[in-house]
Amino acid sequence: MNGTSTVLIVVGLFLVGGIISFAKQEMPKGLIVLLSLGAAMCLLAGILRLEVWN
């Protein structure tokens, strides 16, 4: 696990926490969807960068 994949996974998990918080505060759905897309991309990029797949 290198540094870049670790950072991407941590940022993705941080954004997931933001999604949960924004949903509880009943923020606009568009903002929650945007955050969800960003979190999914960060987590997917972090997982795909792991050296397990080689």
Side-chain angles (χ1 to χ4, degrees), residues 22-23 26-36:
F22 282 8
E26 298 178 0
M27 297 293 272
K29 297 294 181 193
L31 182 62
I32 295 172
V33 168
L34 186 64
L35 228 59
S36 301

Side-chain angles (χ1 to χ4, degrees), residues 1-2 47-54:
M1 199 167 177
N2 60 14
I47 291 170
L48 289 177
R49 286 191 56 91
L50 290 175
E51 296 176 3
V52 178
W53 311 112
N54 292 335

Side-chain angles (χ1 to χ4, degrees), residues 5 8-14 16 37-49:
S5 63
L8 285 169
I9 292 171
V10 168
V11 169
L13 292 175
F14 178 77
V16 168
L37 290 173
M41 286 191 294
C42 281
L43 287 172
L44 185 63
I47 291 170
L48 289 177
R49 286 191 56 91

